[in-house]
Amino acid sequence: NTIVAPGLGSDAFTPIEPGQTEYLGRTYDPQCMQGDQYRFFGKRGTVNKLVMYYMGGGACWNNVTCGFPTCSTSPPSNLDGLNSGFADFDNPDNPFRDWHYVFVSYCSCDVHFGDATQEYVGSENITVEHKGFHNAKVAERWAREHFLNPEEVFVTGSSAGAYGAWFNAPLLHD
């Protein structure tokens, strides 16, 4: 019981598909913009430090931008091609190569902070599940349960994930 995230390996990212989750007195329903199953990834490191990375992509906010989505509408099935920058675990100059990781996937087109089902009216109405806040909170809960009391937490992201990191980092400090 003293090993963090015993179900994760240290050599590859493992997909986690959470369902509806109770956390901090609220029920979260993680999903992608078209209602698909949400998935994020975890990887065990060798030091008690954690990277929370928010995946990038575009965003949508009306019938036109959501009708021709500017972000991925489903999460990646794996992270096999992720092997550069912070994910270059063979690079001795990578300061994060031994850290634990939570890769918060992006498929809600709402900069990781949406909390609504939205109907966009146009020539053809579109219903979008902007549930990025739900997805982020479920990944946060999982991280708190699997990486206990890390000495450091580095919160980062790219593109829309940079906004997700900015929005969610203060919540992670609690």
Side-chain angles (χ1 to χ4, degrees):
N1 289 335
T2 60
I3 298 174
V4 298
L8 296 182
S10 60
D11 57 341
F13 285 94
T14 302
I16 293 106
E17 293 187 350
Q20 196 173 65
T21 302
E22 298 288 327
Y23 184 47
L24 299 175
R26 182 169 172 194
T27 301
Y28 294 98
D29 189 19
Q31 58 187 294
C32 295
M33 74 175 277
Q34 295 176 334
D36 296 339
Q37 170 72 43
Y38 179 68
R39 173 184 316 107
F40 64 93
F41 297 83
K43 181 181 173 304
R44 192 173 69 224
T46 58
V47 298
N48 192 24
K49 298 178 180 185
L50 174 66
V51 172
M52 291 288 294
Y53 174 79
Y54 291 83
M55 180 182 170
C60 73
W61 53 89
N62 60 28
N63 186 279
V64 174
T65 57
C66 291
F68 186 70
T70 56
C71 77
S72 176
T73 61
S74 60
S77 56
N78 62 62
L79 299 180
D80 291 345
L82 188 63
N83 57 10
S84 64
F86 74 86
D88 184 355
F89 303 113
D90 295 326
N91 182 351
D93 294 328
N94 177 358
F96 304 107
R97 71 183 192 151
D98 297 320
W99 292 38
H100 304 300
Y101 281 82
V102 175
F103 182 98
V104 184
S105 299
Y106 184 56
C107 58
S108 53
C109 288
D110 59 8
V111 297
H112 293 277
F113 215 65
D115 189 15
T117 300
Q118 182 67 47
E119 175 104 8
Y120 294 113
V121 178
S123 59
E124 190 172 313
N125 293 351
I126 300 170
T127 302
V128 175
E129 299 293 341
H130 287 303
K131 299 291 176 105
F133 182 71
H134 292 239
N135 301 344
K137 291 306 278 184
V138 169
E140 174 190 326
R141 177 185 177 198
W142 186 90
R144 289 183 187 277
E145 291 175 345
H146 289 83
F147 303 119
L148 308 176
N149 299 316
E151 297 166 21
E152 292 181 53
V153 177
F154 184 75
V155 182
T156 190
S158 58
S159 185
Y163 288 101
W166 186 75
F167 288 139
N168 288 288
L171 305 174
L172 292 168
H173 289 187
D174 292 338

